[in-house]
Amino acid sequence: MRTPVAQRTVAQIKAMISDGEVGPGQQLPTERDLSVRLGVSRGSVREAIRSLTTLGVLEVRHGAGVYVTALRPADLLEAFSVLAEVSRDETLLEVLQVRRMIEPAATAVAAARATPEDLERIGALLDDMEDGSGPREPAEHGAADLGFHQAIVACAGNATLSAVHAGLSSRTFNERVWAGHGEAGLTETLHEDHRRIHEALLARDPEAARAAAAAHVLRVERWLGARTSPGQEEA
Amino acid sequence: MRTPVAQRTVAQIKAMISDGEVGPGQQLPTERDLSVRLGVSRGSVREAIRSLTTLGVLEVRHGAGVYVTALRPADLLEAFSVLAEVSRDETLLEVLQVRRMIEPAATAVAAARATPEDLERIGALLDDMEDGSGPREPAEHGAADLGFHQAIVACAGNATLSAVHAGLSSRTFNERVWAGHGEAGLTETLHEDHRRIHEALLARDPEAARAAAAAHVLRVERWLGARTSPGQEEA
DNA sequence: GGGGGCAAGTGGTCGGACCACTTTGACATG
DNA sequence: CATGTCAAAGTGGTCCGACCACTTGCCCCC
């Protein structure tokens, strides 16, 4: 066989899952057993497991064994958040464009589906974000902002949607945005956007929520675009 | 440090990239050098590299070294396609809901930005899909269908968008859809949807394109919903 | 000057050893 | 008899050193 051992091992473990030999939540044979059964070294087995763990297919519990995850989209998309982490400004523009497609729709659905408890929790997040309006760290603002939007998307009741959205968001990026807006004195503007979104949710008005969310993302997108290539309109 | 060595090593390598010590396309220090520099064993370094390779951040060339990828969204989202691979029906409904948010918007942008060459190529794909209308394999239909939609999304000129869309699509799922529609005799209905989308693109009418794409995805979504839980409307 | 092949350097794999953690059940204790 | 304790077994986590497979580039020979 010309194919690398580790790669083949990955395929064989995936096959064990596809064939139903081990289902979601079940325990895989031990690393030592697998190395014997597949005829490869334990190190290679570990690399294969590491790969599938990174993909969110397997979960390792030190001292307890290797398990197949529930294979829910959230599991498989966790790794996906590296995107926004290592991306640079140009690709962040692309990411924001995608968010501008998703978030308005998600916010609209949230407006229709949010429970009173959801709305209360989101309101609390909003108050917390605006509270202590003194000079706060951009990191705090960024984290709070992220939580606010993720809570809204979560109301849509679609775990895949939440996972995709999380992948397209990132704490580090939000920090940059808040730092930049702090310089430009636009902090209050973002808070207004948030309040408008919240009001639309309270009013259970999907279209207003969609519009408010779209305006919000577009504002950030424009800001980043101007910052990346001043004086050049983004296509 | 309580954190596992391998995990810390992943973070340190990521930091080397973030800090600009090694840029896209550049070569990383050798595994042996890294193991010395980071004070961990070569095996742990290899596991960290394996993890980042799986994520599409690094690329390994046997005998030649480890390199940072271009860090393009397409690189980072390749792994992401496992989602549609291992997902089952219930989560496919969620996936389709997300596609219903993305694809209409993407198709609208495509209508505005597609070049004449793009339109010609898409038309050819469409003809090819409908051509030979005799009894074809669902696999063929599924692959052609996938290519058609991906070509349209590509016209939007957003690599991140294309990558996300690719992750939410899958050949195997499309095969199931076409097999199911073949049984129900709805093949022609899907072809009509496609023609309507294509006409909107030719007319450079974003809103018509958006509507046609939304109707198309919704049709598939409804079909899957009815098939998954007959007689129960999807919330 | 061109071609072939050798050698150094790289990742790929292996085996064994030991460490850290979890789980379990036998044991002593109340 | 119930219960808490802890020791042992089993698991993943890490390390080391050796050797194999592949790439690259230099050097030698023609």
Side-chain angles (χ1 to χ4, degrees):
Chain A
M1 185 99 60
R2 316 281 309 177
T3 64
V5 173
Q7 180 181 329
R8 194 196 335 159
T9 306
V10 169
Q12 284 176 299
I13 294 179
K14 268 202 287 195
M16 289 174 64
I17 298 174
S18 303
D19 298 349
E21 186 175 336
V22 286
Q26 290 185 355
Q27 181 175 1
L28 225 61
T30 68
E31 294 180 350
R32 291 168 177 86
D33 285 349
L34 278 175
S35 81
V36 171
R37 165 173 170 171
L38 303 180
V40 301
S41 77
R42 191 183 157 210
S44 298
V45 170
R46 278 186 61 77
E47 288 200 26
I49 291 175
R50 163 80 54 185
S51 187
L52 290 170
T53 300
T54 302
L55 288 176
V57 174
L58 297 180
E59 177 192 0
V60 173
R61 303 179 200 164
H62 189 174
V66 181
Y67 295 78
V68 179
T69 67
L71 293 181
R72 304 215 52 207
D75 301 320
L76 304 173
L77 291 179
E78 197 165 345
F80 170 59
S81 54
V82 230
L83 204 178
E85 256 182 63
V86 300
S87 294
R88 292 153 303 173
D89 280 2
E90 322 103 56
T91 108
L92 280 177
L93 260 181
E94 289 193 356
V95 170
L96 275 176
Q97 279 186 318
V98 179
R99 275 183 68 175
R100 184 152 54 86
M101 294 177 179
I102 291 181
E103 237 172 283
T107 307
V109 176
R113 296 186 45 132
T115 68
E117 294 76 35
D118 289 334
L119 294 174
E120 191 179 350
R121 196 160 35 82
I122 291 172
L125 286 171
L126 188 59
D127 291 342
D128 185 60
M129 189 165 14
E130 295 189 341
D131 201 17
S133 51
R136 294 175 67 179
E137 292 300 321
E140 278 184 76
H141 264 130
D145 187 17
L146 187 61
F148 175 71
H149 288 289
Q150 283 182 340
I152 292 175
V153 173
C155 293
N158 183 324
T160 302
L161 176 63
S162 293
V164 171
H165 175 259
L168 296 173
S169 310
S170 97
R171 211 169 39 73
T172 60
F173 167 63
N174 272 31
E175 289 175 14
R176 266 195 280 174
V177 172
W178 283 94
H181 275 73
E183 295 170 8
L186 291 177
T187 302
E188 184 56 31
T189 309
L190 291 183
H191 283 155
E192 276 174 28
D193 281 354
H194 287 159
R195 279 196 292 270
R196 211 163 288 141
I197 293 172
H198 186 225
E199 283 166 16
L201 292 178
L202 286 176
R204 298 201 165 284
D205 186 338
E207 284 314 311
R210 181 194 308 273
H216 180 54
V217 179
L218 188 57
R219 188 188 306 288
V220 177
E221 191 179 334
R222 282 280 153 76
W223 168 79
L224 180 66
R227 176 195 175 101
T228 303
S229 47
Q232 174 186 337
E233 202 59 38
E234 185 264 325
Chain B
M1 183 99 63
R2 315 280 309 178
T3 64
V5 173
Q7 179 181 329
R8 191 191 341 152
T9 305
V10 169
Q12 285 175 298
I13 294 180
K14 270 200 287 194
M16 290 175 62
I17 298 174
S18 304
D19 298 349
E21 188 176 334
V22 287
Q26 290 185 354
Q27 181 175 3
L28 225 62
T30 66
E31 294 180 350
R32 291 167 176 88
D33 285 350
L34 277 175
S35 80
V36 171
R37 165 174 172 171
L38 301 179
V40 301
S41 77
R42 193 182 156 208
S44 298
V45 171
R46 279 186 60 79
E47 288 199 25
I49 290 176
R50 163 79 56 184
S51 187
L52 289 170
T53 299
T54 303
L55 289 175
V57 174
L58 297 180
E59 177 193 358
V60 173
R61 305 180 199 162
H62 190 174
V66 182
Y67 295 79
V68 180
T69 67
L71 293 181
R72 303 221 49 195
D75 300 321
L76 304 173
L77 292 178
E78 195 166 346
F80 170 58
S81 53
V82 214
L83 205 178
E85 259 182 55
V86 301
S87 293
R88 289 154 306 175
D89 278 2
E90 321 104 55
T91 111
L92 281 177
L93 259 182
E94 290 193 356
V95 170
L96 275 176
Q97 279 185 318
V98 179
R99 277 183 65 174
R100 183 151 53 85
M101 295 177 179
I102 291 181
E103 242 176 277
T107 307
V109 176
R113 296 185 45 132
T115 67
E117 294 77 34
D118 288 335
L119 293 174
E120 190 179 351
R121 196 159 36 84
I122 292 172
L125 285 170
L126 188 58
D127 291 342
D128 184 60
M129 187 165 17
E130 295 190 339
D131 201 18
S133 50
R136 295 174 66 178
E137 291 300 319
E140 278 183 77
H141 263 130
D145 187 16
L146 187 61
F148 174 70
H149 288 290
Q150 282 181 341
I152 292 175
V153 173
C155 292
N158 184 323
T160 302
L161 176 64
S162 293
V164 170
H165 176 259
L168 296 173
S169 310
S170 96
R171 211 169 39 74
T172 58
F173 168 63
N174 273 30
E175 289 176 14
R176 266 195 280 173
V177 172
W178 283 95
H181 275 74
E183 295 170 5
L186 291 178
T187 301
E188 183 55 33
T189 310
L190 291 183
H191 282 157
E192 276 175 28
D193 281 354
H194 288 159
R195 280 197 292 269
R196 212 165 285 141
I197 293 173
H198 186 224
E199 283 167 15
L201 292 178
L202 286 176
R204 298 203 165 284
D205 186 337
E207 284 314 310
R210 181 193 308 273
H216 179 55
V217 178
L218 188 57
R219 188 189 305 285
V220 177
E221 190 179 336
R222 282 280 155 75
W223 169 79
L224 180 66
R227 176 194 173 103
T228 304
S229 47
Q232 175 187 335
E233 203 58 39
E234 185 264 328

